[in-house]
Amino acid sequence: MKGILKLAVFGIAAIAALSSCSKNEDVPSQKNIETKIIGKWKRIKLDGVEHSTNMRQIATFENGGKMYSTTTMTATGKSIWEFQAPFDYECIGSTVRSRLYFEDGTLRSEMQYEVQEINETVFKVRMFRTYSDGAYKDINTLVEYRRINADYSQDIIGMWEGVEMTGDETYGDANHRIYYKEDGTYTYYDKVGDSWVPSKNAGNEYNVDGDWLAFRWCPVVGADYEYERWDIDEIKDGTMKWSALREKGDKTRYTTTFTWKKVNLPTQEEIETKIIGRWKKMKHDGKDAVTNKRTIWTFNNDGKGTQSLADYKEGDKTFIWDNKEPIQYSIQGNTLHSISPDVEHTATIPFINDNQMTMHVTKIISRGVDVKESYVAECSKVTADYS
């Protein structure tokens, strides 16, 4: 907690210091600071050295003395996951003071800054005093921020396909897709042949604050999180462009860019219309489904249908005999929710036409138990009926 606190404070505080009753005309007045500080700022330099993308910090100042800080890495390089941490701030002459409190109201950290310059685009301060671990400390650190006018938190929602990477990080992501959801989670897809298969990573989360994007995920449940951060340069006309300043272990730096194209998902109306009929699962996670593993779903106009399956349960000797088992289903956006007497399924539908449908099953509840299984079913429309 102390490490996180120090980080949040370090980043946020760096923004908060402003001020001035000084007679020096080069120093902004308190009134000028209080007016121009309102908005969102990205920390880009520390003591004249540009931050790598991983070390960025976003500070959002609001009227009424509230400031919110987003950061995912401490000054020592430790990854954390802290978004919109709430601070109080005040302008006192040429100084800005920001404070973070524990839940019981006691002071957790404090940063004091002297504002050297602030205008519509740039905010420069000298951080001269901090408080953490119960003690004040005098320092002398120059911090520079750039104003952020863009907010891509809503524009990023949906499915995107990688188009091109440049720089040292050319690890094949141009053959991948990412589906950003409104709840702050995402699904990462690998291309297997002609199919898009979701990764088996756990705990996929993302956050966009202004024009800064951060991811974290676990390779397996229980493992340590891995992190990735990017600057979003633009989202326009179905194209998204990222860039990142990276630093290697030997301290050399390089810039990587990434371009994405928007993948249009079917609308709720399209799904409701085209899903009517009988569908057979032909592929499971990009591989041909053997005959024993094929499932037949039938969707009717009235929100009802059936499913048929005859197979052994995975890792079990219990035989499943679902012969036109009744289901009820509903569609919200591009999400399908179906309920049978024993099982509930939740799936997103990224593709559907008159003959083909892709369902990404994201949640299965079997007899009240979350089986924590996820897979992609590629289905073909069945027109014959030999019953």
Side-chain angles (χ1 to χ4, degrees):
M1 282 299 282
K2 291 181 178 178
I4 292 177
L5 175 52
K6 289 180 178 178
L7 171 53
V9 173
F10 176 78
I12 293 169
I15 276 188
L18 310 161
S19 209
S20 174
C21 296
S22 172
K23 296 180 180 180
N24 187 339
E25 294 182 357
D26 293 334
V27 177
S29 67
Q30 178 172 325
K31 183 178 180 180
N32 192 35
I33 294 170
E34 290 174 337
T35 300
K36 293 187 180 299
I37 199 174
I38 303 303
K40 193 177 294 289
W41 300 87
K42 177 189 286 185
R43 189 177 65 202
I44 60 172
K45 288 185 180 181
L46 201 65
D47 287 332
V49 178
E50 185 175 359
H51 267 320
S52 68
T53 300
N54 287 353
M55 293 294 295
R56 305 269 198 233
Q57 179 255 343
I58 306 296
T60 304
F61 291 89
E62 296 182 350
N63 287 311
K66 289 294 182 181
M67 187 268 288
Y68 300 89
S69 172
T70 293
T71 184
T72 66
M73 183 172 284
T74 67
T76 59
K78 180 181 178 181
S79 291
I80 62 171
W81 195 250
E82 188 158 291
F83 294 94
Q84 299 288 313
F87 284 72
D88 292 338
Y89 80 93
E90 61 180 335
C91 299
I92 307 172
S94 61
T95 297
V96 172
R97 181 171 64 186
S98 63
R99 288 178 167 180
L100 178 66
Y101 294 91
F102 288 109
E103 291 184 0
D104 63 2
T106 58
L107 182 63
R108 179 179 168 187
S109 65
E110 179 180 322
M111 303 295 290
Q112 296 181 22
Y113 310 75
E114 179 186 41
V115 178
Q116 298 186 331
E117 179 183 353
I118 187 168
N119 55 41
E120 297 302 322
T121 59
V122 175
F123 176 26
K124 298 180 180 179
V125 302
R126 181 180 69 86
M127 189 188 318
F128 63 88
R129 202 175 195 207
T130 64
Y131 174 88
S132 64
D133 297 334
Y136 281 96
K137 181 181 179 180
D138 293 329
I139 60 175
N140 187 20
T141 301
L142 299 179
V143 184
E144 181 175 338
Y145 292 86
R146 185 189 69 210
R147 186 182 294 278
I148 300 173
N149 294 312
D151 179 3
Y152 295 120
S153 58
Q154 291 301 309
D155 295 326
I156 201 172
I157 302 298
M159 182 83 78
W160 296 85
E161 183 176 330
V163 175
E164 181 185 24
M165 286 192 79
T166 66
D168 286 11
E169 296 178 10
T170 54
Y171 43 77
D173 268 353
N175 292 316
H176 298 292
R177 285 180 173 180
I178 301 180
Y179 178 35
Y180 300 92
K181 305 172 188 178
E182 294 187 2
D183 63 0
T185 64
Y186 69 93
T187 302
Y188 192 89
Y189 294 86
D190 296 296
K191 194 170 187 180
V192 179
D194 295 327
S195 304
W196 293 100
V197 179
S199 72
K200 299 301 182 181
N201 292 335
N204 295 342
E205 298 177 80
Y206 79 95
N207 189 284
V208 175
D209 196 344
D211 65 357
W212 191 62
L213 167 66
F215 298 93
R216 74 171 182 175
W217 67 92
C218 293
V220 295
V221 175
D224 291 336
Y225 276 103
E226 296 184 21
Y227 295 77
E228 192 169 307
R229 298 91 169 171
W230 292 86
D231 295 304
I232 303 176
D233 299 325
E234 181 182 67
I235 299 180
K236 183 179 180 180
D237 298 331
T239 299
M240 177 165 60
K241 296 181 179 181
W242 299 349
S243 63
L245 178 62
R246 307 294 193 204
E247 186 172 278
K248 299 180 181 179
D250 62 2
K251 301 301 181 182
T252 59
R253 292 183 164 194
Y254 64 94
T255 298
T256 288
T257 67
F258 208 156
T259 302
W260 300 79
K261 66 178 181 180
K262 188 71 173 284
V263 178
N264 292 323
L265 297 174
T267 65
Q268 179 173 328
E269 183 178 3
E270 288 174 325
I271 296 173
E272 289 174 338
T273 300
K274 294 183 180 298
I275 202 172
I276 303 304
R278 185 179 288 108
W279 298 87
K280 178 191 287 187
K281 182 172 73 171
M282 303 301 294
K283 286 189 176 183
H284 184 101
D285 280 348
K287 299 179 181 179
D288 289 337
V290 297
T291 303
N292 285 358
K293 299 293 184 182
R294 290 182 180 172
T295 304
I296 300 289
W297 290 282
T298 301
F299 299 96
N300 302 324
N301 281 307
D302 57 0
K304 297 179 181 180
T306 62
Q307 64 181 18
S308 297
L309 172 66
D311 188 23
Y312 285 102
K313 290 183 179 179
E314 294 289 343
D316 195 345
K317 294 184 178 180
T318 302
F319 195 80
I320 303 173
W321 182 256
D322 290 339
N323 183 19
K324 296 184 178 179
E325 183 179 44
I327 63 172
Q328 292 183 320
Y329 75 93
S330 61
I331 297 168
Q332 182 68 40
N334 69 324
T335 298
L336 168 69
H337 183 67
S338 66
I339 303 175
S340 71
D342 294 326
V343 182
E344 296 182 36
H345 287 88
T346 301
T348 58
I349 300 180
F351 176 80
I352 188 170
N353 61 22
D354 293 334
N355 303 303
Q356 304 292 325
M357 175 173 64
T358 300
M359 293 194 301
H360 176 199
V361 178
T362 57
K363 192 168 187 178
I364 303 174
I365 305 294
S366 178
R367 294 180 175 85
V369 178
D370 186 351
V371 300
K372 299 187 183 301
E373 181 181 0
S374 174
Y375 66 89
V376 169
E378 294 177 61
C379 308
S380 296
K381 177 69 79 66
V382 178
T383 56
D385 182 1
Y386 298 120
S387 59

